[in-house]
Amino acid sequence: MNTILEMGSKKTKGGRRYIKLALLTIHENEEDTNLNGINWREQYVLNNIESAKGMPLCCEFTDETKTVPLGHGYTDQMTDEYGNQIPLFENSETVGVIETAQIENIVIDNEEKRVLVGEGYLYNQRYPNFVKWLKDNMAENPIKSSIEIVGTEENKGHIIYDGEVTE
């Protein structure tokens, strides 16, 4: 589950607001997957944890007020230098940044889970309507999020999966 775990109650650090997110749930057995069919194994997450640091928090908005999030901002695909088709997200804006990432055991919906946690900041001065919307809505409903993954350079941009591809 990807969700907001904590959000600062006031502006902090130069007009930015602290945020702590569960970025992904690490699966303890090979049969478990997220909604996209991915089984996140702890060793692979640890191998790539540095890539989460400096990761932008992005959002596509429903309208010009930049209040309500809509999605990733997917527009098309392009071919990378290795010939892989990779998605483009040209209709999204960077609304914050992840500064640190670590694996933690946390309780979500009364169940302990092992998750990759990202901590960073939202750009409150640039997106005050969005930050207010998040703060107002996260108490009533869990705010879902998603991360975008790409293959590593050593794998020539390919994402390598263990086992068979699932639905």
Side-chain angles (χ1 to χ4, degrees), residues 4-6 10 26 28 54 58 81 87 89 97-98 117 125-127 141 148-149 158:
I4 297 172
L5 300 173
E6 185 181 333
K10 59 182 179 174
I26 295 170
E28 294 189 23
C58 300
E81 64 268 26
F89 302 101
V97 65
I98 296 295
V117 171
Q125 288 179 313
R126 296 182 183 276
Y127 299 96
N141 301 304
E148 297 153 7
I149 60 172
H158 289 284

Side-chain angles (χ1 to χ4, degrees), residues 24-28 39-49 103-105 114-115:
L24 58 86
T25 299
I26 295 170
H27 300 103
E28 294 189 23
N39 176 284
W40 292 103
R41 298 200 183 153
E42 185 164 350
Q43 187 57 54
Y44 298 150
V45 172
L46 286 170
N47 291 349
N48 294 285
I49 200 165
I103 294 176
E104 295 181 17
N105 290 326
R114 192 148 177 83
V115 301

Side-chain angles (χ1 to χ4, degrees), residues 102-163:
Q102 63 277 343
I103 294 176
E104 295 181 17
N105 290 326
I106 61 170
V107 176
I108 300 176
D109 297 329
N110 297 320
E111 186 179 338
E112 185 170 318
K113 298 183 183 226
R114 192 148 177 83
V115 301
L116 176 63
V117 171
E119 295 181 75
Y121 292 92
L122 294 171
Y123 302 140
N124 191 67
Q125 288 179 313
R126 296 182 183 276
Y127 299 96
N129 296 336
F130 173 61
V131 172
K132 182 180 183 324
W133 183 90
L134 281 177
K135 192 72 173 164
D136 292 347
N137 285 278
M138 66 183 267
E140 296 174 22
N141 301 304
I143 306 294
K144 307 267 187 202
S145 65
S146 178
I147 61 170
E148 297 153 7
I149 60 172
V150 296
T152 60
E153 288 295 318
E154 57 267 16
N155 292 326
K156 296 188 174 165
H158 289 284
I159 298 170
I160 307 297
Y161 298 99
D162 279 349

Side-chain angles (χ1 to χ4, degrees), residues 15-114:
R16 295 170 284 171
R17 189 179 299 248
Y18 171 81
I19 190 164
K20 182 176 181 179
L21 301 147
L23 300 173
L24 58 86
T25 299
I26 295 170
H27 300 103
E28 294 189 23
N29 67 62
E30 293 183 17
E31 290 78 41
D32 291 341
T33 64
N34 69 6
L35 294 175
N36 291 328
I38 298 173
N39 176 284
W40 292 103
R41 298 200 183 153
E42 185 164 350
Q43 187 57 54
Y44 298 150
V45 172
L46 286 170
N47 291 349
N48 294 285
I49 200 165
E50 289 298 313
S51 68
K53 296 174 184 174
M55 179 176 68
L57 296 171
C58 300
C59 181
E60 175 184 14
F61 292 104
T62 58
D63 62 27
E64 307 79 42
T65 66
K66 299 179 183 181
T67 303
V68 180
L70 178 62
H72 286 263
Y74 176 81
T75 54
D76 202 354
Q77 290 190 357
M78 66 176 249
T79 304
D80 71 8
E81 64 268 26
Y82 303 110
N84 302 312
Q85 290 295 305
I86 59 170
L88 295 175
F89 302 101
E90 298 170 303
N91 286 342
S92 65
E93 299 183 38
T94 301
V95 298
V97 65
I98 296 295
E99 291 188 340
T100 64
Q102 63 277 343
I103 294 176
E104 295 181 17
N105 290 326
I106 61 170
V107 176
I108 300 176
D109 297 329
N110 297 320
E111 186 179 338
E112 185 170 318
K113 298 183 183 226
R114 192 148 177 83

